Amino acid sequence: MHEPAVPHLHAEDPEIAGMVEAEARRQYEKLRLIASENYVSPAVLEAAGSVLTNKYSEGYEGRRYYEGQQVIDPLEALAVRRAQELFGAEHANVQPYSGSPANLAVYLAFLEPGDPVMGLSLPMGGHLTHGWSVSATGKWFRPVRYDVRADTGRVDMDQVRDLALKERPKVIWCGGTAIPRTIDFPAFAEIARETGAVLAADIAHIAGLIAGGAHPSPVGHADVITTTTHKTLRGPRGAMIMSTAEHAKAVDKAVFPGLQGGPHNQTTAAIAVALREAAQPGFAAYARQVVANAVVLAAALRDRGYDLVSGGTDNHLILIDLTKKGIGGKPAAQALDRAGIELNYNAVPFDTRKPFDPSGLRVGTAAITTRGLGEELMPQVAAWMDEVVQAAAKGDESVVERVAAQIRELLASYPMPGWTATP
Ligand SMILES: *Cc1c(COP(=O)(O)O)cnc(C)c1O
């Protein structure tokens, strides 16, 4: 049963209530390895489901365009303060609706249409909003793309410097969606300084690891930092922008009135709750365990003959290259999902296959670590993955049901925040 319970929803709209329960059960029964997902706490769920959703609050603390901000002003101020304290940032804006709008606000704050912007190429692990061609950021600005090195699978910092000197981007993005290795913020900062660019660190994937001390922080190196709040940070779907005091005004103006209207106050509250949770000592232990699990899972996959981009991982994320396994990423991901292992197909650097059926699988340990799974179980996870992928490569569906049942049985011992097993 969903927790908090949804009795009014069951009474008013059983169809939607049924879907909420079904999704909760699905999340309970599956090994969730999507690197950008997690399980939030019931406290975060309660804040996100509160009457704060009823309130309009365009503007910022003390400067709103609607009356009745007696509660919202101190609430948003508290969320901002918690973000500043957790990350050590001089300025924080907690209003962006999600990661993509947060990144768009960076363009509005620092670039004019047509200006050059540099980011990691999407198929190499970057994000759409870092100037990819189908994104507004690639259409309205002039993208300059850097890559990872073919031999190491790691960002080519020499190329970053050469390109930045040649193209003089106004903004350099670092960070991405499929980067299994530590991001060298000081090296990016040096290049940005040398070339007069604003350094924007997009820490959407690793924000929780940074908060928990399991990945170096961009604070002190990047001029502006964007992050989603719903990945390793384990908050509601939302985003934040942090910056130096120097850029505070430009960032705030870009978010509102530049791009958005009223902030989602229920999300602001849930972000504040998640930030408080992330400041507890237990969260640092969580972040360390996320990485420890990924490292052991990567080693177990390597032992089973899987090629990993960059050879392994430093963080929560593993990128598997299936080229030698005789199966594409999409059919492998679909078979794994049927077997109770939820992940996504993903391009690998220099992929020779198409984006809709690339050669890779992306795996993350943030959600299963929240469930309480530890290193000792990672070889078993790798064994299940290997069994299903090998069978799928031969068109054999017979293992799928058995593996799904074994996973359901294992996960019954690992409680899920947001769900209570009913007797
Ligand atoms: C997830 C992600 C985003 C976008 O977040 P949405 O909330 O899906 O818009 C932006 N940048 C990076 C690096 C991400 O991983």
Side-chain angles (χ1 to χ4, degrees), residues 230-403:
H230 48 269
K231 299 178 184 176
T232 53
L233 192 55
R234 218 161 64 180
R237 307 201 77 79
M240 310 192 296
I241 305 178
M242 294 174 278
S243 74
T244 55
E246 179 193 353
H247 297 303
K249 234 190 176 137
V251 165
D252 284 353
K253 269 177 60 186
V255 174
F256 177 87
L259 279 177
Q260 299 190 167
H264 294 181
N265 296 314
Q266 76 283 10
T267 302
T268 303
I271 289 173
V273 173
L275 290 170
R276 186 177 174 280
E277 290 175 356
Q280 309 305 313
F283 195 85
Y286 164 70
R288 275 197 304 277
Q289 190 63 50
V290 167
V291 176
N293 282 350
V295 167
V296 175
L297 180 56
L301 288 165
R302 237 175 8 237
D303 286 348
R304 290 178 175 275
Y306 287 85
D307 284 335
L308 308 182
V309 172
S310 83
T313 183
D314 299 327
N315 54 34
H316 65 301
L317 186 148
I318 300 163
L319 196 52
I320 303 170
D321 184 343
L322 290 174
T323 304
K324 286 199 314 218
K325 291 288 179 181
I327 184 168
K330 191 173 189 172
Q334 288 172 339
L336 285 160
D337 188 57
R338 288 193 292 275
I341 300 171
E342 185 188 2
L343 43 65
N344 64 280
Y345 60 84
N346 210 97
V348 296
F350 311 101
D351 210 320
T352 51
R353 298 171 66 103
K354 297 203 168 62
F356 278 119
D357 183 16
S359 304
L361 295 173
R362 191 183 68 158
V363 174
T365 51
I368 58 171
T369 305
T370 296
R371 286 290 288 270
L373 276 66
E375 288 120 290
E376 68 288 354
L377 286 168
M378 295 305 115
Q380 175 64 69
V381 172
W384 277 326
M385 290 175 66
D386 185 27
E387 192 180 358
V388 175
V389 168
Q390 285 204 44
K394 294 187 223 123
D396 172 6
E397 277 287 311
S398 65
V399 304
V400 158
E401 257 315 306
R402 177 177 48 77
V403 171

Side-chain angles (χ1 to χ4, degrees), residues 95-109:
Q95 293 193 5
Y97 297 144
S98 212
S100 302
N103 287 355
L104 208 50
V106 170
Y107 287 82
L108 190 59

Side-chain angles (χ1 to χ4, degrees), residues 100 103 107 117-138 143-148 153 155 159 173 175-180 202 205 231 309 317 319 344-351 353-356 358 360 362:
S100 302
N103 287 355
Y107 287 82
V117 59
M118 195 160 118
L120 179 60
S121 154
L122 181 72
M124 301 274 170
H127 190 261
L128 283 164
T129 55
H130 299 178
W132 196 241
S133 40
V134 296
S135 154
T137 63
V144 178
R145 299 184 185 113
Y146 58 89
D147 302 316
V148 300
V155 170
Q159 184 203 22
W173 285 103
T177 61
I179 302 175
D202 182 345
H205 262 266
K231 299 178 184 176
V309 172
L317 186 148
L319 196 52
N344 64 280
Y345 60 84
N346 210 97
V348 296
F350 311 101
D351 210 320
R353 298 171 66 103
K354 297 203 168 62
F356 278 119
R362 191 183 68 158

Side-chain angles (χ1 to χ4, degrees), residues 54-72:
N54 295 341
K55 184 72 197 125
Y56 245 110
S57 315
E58 281 185 355
Y60 292 102
E61 188 194 359
R63 292 173 286 134
R64 306 275 185 188
Y65 291 81
Y66 294 80
E67 297 312 312
Q69 309 298 339
Q70 292 82 356
V71 177
I72 299 302

